[in-house]
PDB file of all heavy atoms in Angstrom:
ATOM      1  N   ALA A  74      -1.202  48.906 -54.419  1.00 94.00           N
ATOM      2  CA  ALA A  74      -2.119  48.912 -53.278  1.00 94.00           C
ATOM      3  C   ALA A  74      -1.551  49.655 -52.071  1.00 94.00           C
ATOM      4  O   ALA A  74      -2.292  50.025 -51.167  1.00 94.00           O
ATOM      5  CB  ALA A  74      -2.478  47.482 -52.883  1.00 94.00           C
ATOM      6  N   LEU A  78      -3.092  57.361 -50.659  1.00 95.00           N
ATOM      7  CA  LEU A  78      -4.432  57.494 -51.231  1.00 95.00           C
ATOM      8  C   LEU A  78      -4.970  58.903 -51.047  1.00 95.00           C
ATOM      9  O   LEU A  78      -4.657  59.587 -50.088  1.00 95.00           O
ATOM     10  CB  LEU A  78      -5.387  56.496 -50.574  1.00 95.00           C
ATOM     11  CG  LEU A  78      -5.031  55.024 -50.755  1.00 95.00           C
ATOM     12  CD1 LEU A  78      -5.981  54.145 -49.954  1.00 95.00           C
ATOM     13  CD2 LEU A  78      -5.053  54.628 -52.227  1.00 95.00           C
ATOM     14  N   LEU A  87     -10.304  52.232 -56.847  1.00 94.00           N
ATOM     15  CA  LEU A  87     -11.445  51.309 -56.763  1.00 94.00           C
ATOM     16  C   LEU A  87     -11.465  50.375 -57.973  1.00 94.00           C
ATOM     17  O   LEU A  87     -11.713  49.177 -57.837  1.00 94.00           O
ATOM     18  CB  LEU A  87     -12.765  52.085 -56.682  1.00 94.00           C
ATOM     19  CG  LEU A  87     -13.164  52.589 -55.313  1.00 94.00           C
ATOM     20  CD1 LEU A  87     -14.394  53.483 -55.408  1.00 94.00           C
ATOM     21  CD2 LEU A  87     -13.421  51.435 -54.360  1.00 94.00           C
ATOM     22  N   ALA A  90      -8.651  47.885 -57.480  1.00 95.00           N
ATOM     23  CA  ALA A  90      -9.007  46.863 -56.490  1.00 95.00           C
ATOM     24  C   ALA A  90     -10.004  45.855 -57.045  1.00 95.00           C
ATOM     25  O   ALA A  90      -9.965  44.673 -56.691  1.00 95.00           O
ATOM     26  CB  ALA A  90      -9.586  47.528 -55.234  1.00 95.00           C
ATOM     27  N   LEU A  99      -6.264  38.586 -54.322  1.00 94.00           N
ATOM     28  CA  LEU A  99      -7.411  38.860 -53.458  1.00 94.00           C
ATOM     29  C   LEU A  99      -7.001  39.597 -52.184  1.00 94.00           C
ATOM     30  O   LEU A  99      -7.661  40.547 -51.770  1.00 94.00           O
ATOM     31  CB  LEU A  99      -8.110  37.558 -53.072  1.00 94.00           C
ATOM     32  CG  LEU A  99      -9.095  36.982 -54.081  1.00 94.00           C
ATOM     33  CD1 LEU A  99      -9.517  35.583 -53.664  1.00 94.00           C
ATOM     34  CD2 LEU A  99     -10.303  37.871 -54.232  1.00 94.00           C
ATOM     35  N   ASP A 100      -5.909  39.145 -51.563  1.00 95.00           N
ATOM     36  CA  ASP A 100      -5.475  39.778 -50.307  1.00 95.00           C
ATOM     37  C   ASP A 100      -5.075  41.229 -50.534  1.00 95.00           C
ATOM     38  O   ASP A 100      -5.378  42.100 -49.717  1.00 95.00           O
ATOM     39  CB  ASP A 100      -4.315  38.997 -49.685  1.00 95.00           C
ATOM     40  CG  ASP A 100      -4.746  37.631 -49.176  1.00 95.00           C
ATOM     41  OD1 ASP A 100      -5.957  37.440 -48.952  1.00 95.00           O
ATOM     42  OD2 ASP A 100      -3.880  36.759 -49.006  1.00 95.00           O
ATOM     43  N   GLU A 101      -4.407  41.491 -51.648  1.00 96.00           N
ATOM     44  CA  GLU A 101      -4.005  42.862 -51.965  1.00 96.00           C
ATOM     45  C   GLU A 101      -5.242  43.732 -52.205  1.00 96.00           C
ATOM     46  O   GLU A 101      -5.309  44.877 -51.750  1.00 96.00           O
ATOM     47  CB  GLU A 101      -3.108  42.850 -53.207  1.00 96.00           C
ATOM     48  CG  GLU A 101      -2.375  44.132 -53.439  1.00 96.00           C
ATOM     49  CD  GLU A 101      -1.359  44.028 -54.571  1.00 96.00           C
ATOM     50  OE1 GLU A 101      -0.817  42.945 -54.814  1.00 96.00           O
ATOM     51  OE2 GLU A 101      -1.133  45.066 -55.218  1.00 96.00           O
ATOM     52  N   ALA A 102      -6.230  43.173 -52.901  1.00 96.00           N
ATOM     53  CA  ALA A 102      -7.473  43.904 -53.154  1.00 96.00           C
ATOM     54  C   ALA A 102      -8.190  44.206 -51.836  1.00 96.00           C
ATOM     55  O   ALA A 102      -8.655  45.333 -51.611  1.00 96.00           O
ATOM     56  CB  ALA A 102      -8.384  43.104 -54.078  1.00 96.00           C
ATOM     57  N   GLU A 103      -8.231  43.215 -50.952  1.00 96.00           N
ATOM     58  CA  GLU A 103      -8.894  43.414 -49.659  1.00 96.00           C
ATOM     59  C   GLU A 103      -8.194  44.503 -48.850  1.00 96.00           C
ATOM     60  O   GLU A 103      -8.833  45.376 -48.261  1.00 96.00           O
ATOM     61  CB  GLU A 103      -8.911  42.106 -48.870  1.00 96.00           C
ATOM     62  CG  GLU A 103      -9.589  42.247 -47.521  1.00 96.00           C
ATOM     63  CD  GLU A 103      -9.570  40.977 -46.690  1.00 96.00           C
ATOM     64  OE1 GLU A 103      -9.060  39.943 -47.154  1.00 96.00           O
ATOM     65  OE2 GLU A 103     -10.073  41.048 -45.556  1.00 96.00           O
ATOM     66  N   MET A 104      -6.866  44.476 -48.836  1.00 97.00           N
ATOM     67  CA  MET A 104      -6.101  45.471 -48.090  1.00 97.00           C
ATOM     68  C   MET A 104      -6.334  46.875 -48.666  1.00 97.00           C
ATOM     69  O   MET A 104      -6.543  47.827 -47.920  1.00 97.00           O
ATOM     70  CB  MET A 104      -4.609  45.110 -48.135  1.00 97.00           C
ATOM     71  CG  MET A 104      -3.714  46.015 -47.303  1.00 97.00           C
ATOM     72  SD  MET A 104      -2.997  47.408 -48.182  1.00 97.00           S
ATOM     73  CE  MET A 104      -2.112  46.610 -49.490  1.00 97.00           C
ATOM     74  N   LEU A 105      -6.316  46.989 -49.974  1.00 98.00           N
ATOM     75  CA  LEU A 105      -6.542  48.292 -50.615  1.00 98.00           C
ATOM     76  C   LEU A 105      -7.944  48.805 -50.308  1.00 98.00           C
ATOM     77  O   LEU A 105      -8.126  49.982 -49.981  1.00 98.00           O
ATOM     78  CB  LEU A 105      -6.323  48.191 -52.121  1.00 98.00           C
ATOM     79  CG  LEU A 105      -6.588  49.466 -52.931  1.00 98.00           C
ATOM     80  CD1 LEU A 105      -5.771  50.645 -52.423  1.00 98.00           C
ATOM     81  CD2 LEU A 105      -6.295  49.202 -54.411  1.00 98.00           C
ATOM     82  N   LEU A 106      -8.934  47.928 -50.380  1.00 97.00           N
ATOM     83  CA  LEU A 106     -10.307  48.350 -50.080  1.00 97.00           C
ATOM     84  C   LEU A 106     -10.454  48.786 -48.624  1.00 97.00           C
ATOM     85  O   LEU A 106     -11.178  49.735 -48.329  1.00 97.00           O
ATOM     86  CB  LEU A 106     -11.292  47.229 -50.417  1.00 97.00           C
ATOM     87  CG  LEU A 106     -11.484  46.973 -51.906  1.00 97.00           C
ATOM     88  CD1 LEU A 106     -12.282  45.693 -52.135  1.00 97.00           C
ATOM     89  CD2 LEU A 106     -12.161  48.161 -52.584  1.00 97.00           C
ATOM     90  N   THR A 107      -9.761  48.122 -47.726  1.00 97.00           N
ATOM     91  CA  THR A 107      -9.791  48.521 -46.315  1.00 97.00           C
ATOM     92  C   THR A 107      -9.205  49.922 -46.153  1.00 97.00           C
ATOM     93  O   THR A 107      -9.762  50.765 -45.438  1.00 97.00           O
ATOM     94  CB  THR A 107      -9.017  47.502 -45.445  1.00 97.00           C
ATOM     95  OG1 THR A 107      -9.657  46.229 -45.569  1.00 97.00           O
ATOM     96  CG2 THR A 107      -8.996  47.929 -43.983  1.00 97.00           C
ATOM     97  N   ARG A 108      -8.097  50.180 -46.828  1.00 97.00           N
ATOM     98  CA  ARG A 108      -7.478  51.515 -46.770  1.00 97.00           C
ATOM     99  C   ARG A 108      -8.409  52.571 -47.370  1.00 97.00           C
ATOM    100  O   ARG A 108      -8.558  53.666 -46.816  1.00 97.00           O
ATOM    101  CB  ARG A 108      -6.144  51.491 -47.508  1.00 97.00           C
ATOM    102  CG  ARG A 108      -5.084  50.653 -46.807  1.00 97.00           C
ATOM    103  CD  ARG A 108      -3.754  50.667 -47.547  1.00 97.00           C
ATOM    104  NE  ARG A 108      -3.243  52.019 -47.570  1.00 97.00           N
ATOM    105  CZ  ARG A 108      -2.743  52.622 -48.659  1.00 97.00           C
ATOM    106  NH1 ARG A 108      -2.656  51.988 -49.805  1.00 97.00           N
ATOM    107  NH2 ARG A 108      -2.309  53.865 -48.592  1.00 97.00           N
ATOM    108  N   LEU A 109      -9.031  52.246 -48.509  1.00 97.00           N
ATOM    109  CA  LEU A 109      -9.966  53.189 -49.139  1.00 97.00           C
ATOM    110  C   LEU A 109     -11.168  53.441 -48.233  1.00 97.00           C
ATOM    111  O   LEU A 109     -11.638  54.578 -48.108  1.00 97.00           O
ATOM    112  CB  LEU A 109     -10.429  52.665 -50.506  1.00 97.00           C
ATOM    113  CG  LEU A 109      -9.400  52.726 -51.618  1.00 97.00           C
ATOM    114  CD1 LEU A 109      -9.835  51.865 -52.799  1.00 97.00           C
ATOM    115  CD2 LEU A 109      -9.176  54.165 -52.069  1.00 97.00           C
ATOM    116  N   PHE A 110     -11.661  52.382 -47.586  1.00 97.00           N
ATOM    117  CA  PHE A 110     -12.795  52.511 -46.672  1.00 97.00           C
ATOM    118  C   PHE A 110     -12.427  53.432 -45.503  1.00 97.00           C
ATOM    119  O   PHE A 110     -13.197  54.331 -45.147  1.00 97.00           O
ATOM    120  CB  PHE A 110     -13.223  51.136 -46.142  1.00 97.00           C
ATOM    121  CG  PHE A 110     -14.384  51.210 -45.188  1.00 97.00           C
ATOM    122  CD1 PHE A 110     -15.683  51.207 -45.669  1.00 97.00           C
ATOM    123  CD2 PHE A 110     -14.182  51.300 -43.821  1.00 97.00           C
ATOM    124  CE1 PHE A 110     -16.764  51.291 -44.795  1.00 97.00           C
ATOM    125  CE2 PHE A 110     -15.239  51.388 -42.938  1.00 97.00           C
ATOM    126  CZ  PHE A 110     -16.540  51.378 -43.432  1.00 97.00           C
ATOM    127  N   ASP A 111     -11.268  53.205 -44.918  1.00 97.00           N
ATOM    128  CA  ASP A 111     -10.838  54.035 -43.781  1.00 97.00           C
ATOM    129  C   ASP A 111     -10.757  55.513 -44.170  1.00 97.00           C
ATOM    130  O   ASP A 111     -11.183  56.385 -43.410  1.00 97.00           O
ATOM    131  CB  ASP A 111      -9.492  53.550 -43.239  1.00 97.00           C
ATOM    132  CG  ASP A 111      -9.591  52.190 -42.559  1.00 97.00           C
ATOM    133  OD1 ASP A 111     -10.713  51.746 -42.242  1.00 97.00           O
ATOM    134  OD2 ASP A 111      -8.520  51.567 -42.348  1.00 97.00           O
ATOM    135  N   LEU A 112     -10.234  55.778 -45.354  1.00 97.00           N
ATOM    136  CA  LEU A 112     -10.126  57.157 -45.832  1.00 97.00           C
ATOM    137  C   LEU A 112     -11.513  57.765 -46.061  1.00 97.00           C
ATOM    138  O   LEU A 112     -11.792  58.877 -45.608  1.00 97.00           O
ATOM    139  CB  LEU A 112      -9.308  57.216 -47.127  1.00 97.00           C
ATOM    140  CG  LEU A 112      -9.131  58.603 -47.750  1.00 97.00           C
ATOM    141  CD1 LEU A 112      -8.337  59.516 -46.826  1.00 97.00           C
ATOM    142  CD2 LEU A 112      -8.448  58.483 -49.110  1.00 97.00           C
ATOM    143  N   ALA A 113     -12.381  57.032 -46.722  1.00 96.00           N
ATOM    144  CA  ALA A 113     -13.732  57.533 -47.003  1.00 96.00           C
ATOM    145  C   ALA A 113     -14.503  57.763 -45.704  1.00 96.00           C
ATOM    146  O   ALA A 113     -15.211  58.769 -45.559  1.00 96.00           O
ATOM    147  CB  ALA A 113     -14.484  56.555 -47.898  1.00 96.00           C
ATOM    148  N   GLU A 114     -14.340  56.854 -44.764  1.00 96.00           N
ATOM    149  CA  GLU A 114     -15.034  56.998 -43.475  1.00 96.00           C
ATOM    150  C   GLU A 114     -14.509  58.219 -42.721  1.00 96.00           C
ATOM    151  O   GLU A 114     -15.297  58.995 -42.167  1.00 96.00           O
ATOM    152  CB  GLU A 114     -14.845  55.721 -42.653  1.00 96.00           C
ATOM    153  CG  GLU A 114     -15.708  55.672 -41.410  1.00 96.00           C
ATOM    154  CD  GLU A 114     -15.618  54.333 -40.711  1.00 96.00           C
ATOM    155  OE1 GLU A 114     -14.500  53.847 -40.472  1.00 96.00           O
ATOM    156  OE2 GLU A 114     -16.692  53.784 -40.403  1.00 96.00           O
ATOM    157  N   ILE A 125     -17.361  50.994 -51.742  1.00 95.00           N
ATOM    158  CA  ILE A 125     -16.267  50.174 -51.213  1.00 95.00           C
ATOM    159  C   ILE A 125     -16.824  48.936 -50.525  1.00 95.00           C
ATOM    160  O   ILE A 125     -16.310  47.819 -50.719  1.00 95.00           O
ATOM    161  CB  ILE A 125     -15.381  51.005 -50.266  1.00 95.00           C
ATOM    162  CG1 ILE A 125     -14.664  52.103 -51.065  1.00 95.00           C
ATOM    163  CG2 ILE A 125     -14.377  50.106 -49.536  1.00 95.00           C
ATOM    164  CD1 ILE A 125     -14.075  53.219 -50.204  1.00 95.00           C
ATOM    165  N   LEU A 126     -17.875  49.091 -49.741  1.00 94.00           N
ATOM    166  CA  LEU A 126     -18.487  47.933 -49.068  1.00 94.00           C
ATOM    167  C   LEU A 126     -19.020  46.919 -50.077  1.00 94.00           C
ATOM    168  O   LEU A 126     -18.921  45.705 -49.857  1.00 94.00           O
ATOM    169  CB  LEU A 126     -19.603  48.389 -48.123  1.00 94.00           C
ATOM    170  CG  LEU A 126     -19.135  49.033 -46.820  1.00 94.00           C
ATOM    171  CD1 LEU A 126     -20.299  49.726 -46.118  1.00 94.00           C
ATOM    172  CD2 LEU A 126     -18.479  47.998 -45.909  1.00 94.00           C
ATOM    173  N   GLN A 128     -17.765  46.375 -53.047  1.00 92.00           N
ATOM    174  CA  GLN A 128     -16.590  45.669 -53.556  1.00 92.00           C
ATOM    175  C   GLN A 128     -16.018  44.709 -52.513  1.00 92.00           C
ATOM    176  O   GLN A 128     -15.576  43.612 -52.851  1.00 92.00           O
ATOM    177  CB  GLN A 128     -15.520  46.658 -54.008  1.00 92.00           C
ATOM    178  CG  GLN A 128     -15.834  47.256 -55.361  1.00 92.00           C
ATOM    179  CD  GLN A 128     -14.600  47.865 -56.009  1.00 92.00           C
ATOM    180  OE1 GLN A 128     -13.490  47.414 -55.813  1.00 92.00           O
ATOM    181  NE2 GLN A 128     -14.818  48.894 -56.800  1.00 92.00           N
ATOM    182  N   GLN A 129     -16.032  45.104 -51.247  1.00 95.00           N
ATOM    183  CA  GLN A 129     -15.566  44.203 -50.198  1.00 95.00           C
ATOM    184  C   GLN A 129     -16.443  42.958 -50.135  1.00 95.00           C
ATOM    185  O   GLN A 129     -15.940  41.849 -49.944  1.00 95.00           O
ATOM    186  CB  GLN A 129     -15.555  44.909 -48.838  1.00 95.00           C
ATOM    187  CG  GLN A 129     -14.403  45.875 -48.681  1.00 95.00           C
ATOM    188  CD  GLN A 129     -14.416  46.590 -47.340  1.00 95.00           C
ATOM    189  OE1 GLN A 129     -15.468  46.922 -46.804  1.00 95.00           O
ATOM    190  NE2 GLN A 129     -13.230  46.839 -46.809  1.00 95.00           N
ATOM    191  N   ILE A 132     -15.261  40.607 -52.728  1.00 93.00           N
ATOM    192  CA  ILE A 132     -13.971  40.013 -52.346  1.00 93.00           C
ATOM    193  C   ILE A 132     -14.192  38.911 -51.317  1.00 93.00           C
ATOM    194  O   ILE A 132     -13.645  37.812 -51.434  1.00 93.00           O
ATOM    195  CB  ILE A 132     -13.002  41.085 -51.789  1.00 93.00           C
ATOM    196  CG1 ILE A 132     -12.624  42.097 -52.869  1.00 93.00           C
ATOM    197  CG2 ILE A 132     -11.756  40.443 -51.171  1.00 93.00           C
ATOM    198  CD1 ILE A 132     -11.777  41.568 -53.993  1.00 93.00           C
ATOM    199  N   TYR A 133     -14.995  39.187 -50.287  1.00 94.00           N
ATOM    200  CA  TYR A 133     -15.237  38.194 -49.246  1.00 94.00           C
ATOM    201  C   TYR A 133     -15.901  36.946 -49.828  1.00 94.00           C
ATOM    202  O   TYR A 133     -15.575  35.828 -49.430  1.00 94.00           O
ATOM    203  CB  TYR A 133     -16.099  38.770 -48.123  1.00 94.00           C
ATOM    204  CG  TYR A 133     -15.463  39.932 -47.388  1.00 94.00           C
ATOM    205  CD1 TYR A 133     -16.245  40.949 -46.848  1.00 94.00           C
ATOM    206  CD2 TYR A 133     -14.081  40.033 -47.236  1.00 94.00           C
ATOM    207  CE1 TYR A 133     -15.666  42.017 -46.169  1.00 94.00           C
ATOM    208  CE2 TYR A 133     -13.501  41.105 -46.570  1.00 94.00           C
ATOM    209  CZ  TYR A 133     -14.298  42.084 -46.043  1.00 94.00           C
ATOM    210  OH  TYR A 133     -13.719  43.140 -45.382  1.00 94.00           O
ATOM    211  N   ARG A 141     -18.843  37.211 -43.646  1.00 93.00           N
ATOM    212  CA  ARG A 141     -18.232  38.545 -43.765  1.00 93.00           C
ATOM    213  C   ARG A 141     -18.847  39.310 -44.934  1.00 93.00           C
ATOM    214  O   ARG A 141     -19.060  40.521 -44.851  1.00 93.00           O
ATOM    215  CB  ARG A 141     -16.725  38.404 -43.997  1.00 93.00           C
ATOM    216  CG  ARG A 141     -15.901  38.602 -42.776  1.00 93.00           C
ATOM    217  CD  ARG A 141     -14.436  38.458 -43.082  1.00 93.00           C
ATOM    218  NE  ARG A 141     -13.801  39.763 -43.142  1.00 93.00           N
ATOM    219  CZ  ARG A 141     -12.558  39.957 -43.537  1.00 93.00           C
ATOM    220  NH1 ARG A 141     -11.811  38.959 -43.932  1.00 93.00           N
ATOM    221  NH2 ARG A 141     -12.056  41.170 -43.550  1.00 93.00           N
TER     222      ARG A 141
END
Side-chain angles (χ1 to χ4, degrees):
L78 299 175
L87 277 173
L99 278 170
D100 291 340
E101 194 173 330
E103 180 182 358
M104 185 267 302
L105 177 56
L106 289 170
T107 299
R108 292 181 63 226
L109 287 165
F110 180 86
D111 291 345
L112 179 64
E114 190 173 50
I125 294 164
L126 285 167
Q128 282 199 31
Q129 285 179 324
I132 295 292
Y133 298 148
R141 260 180 103 188

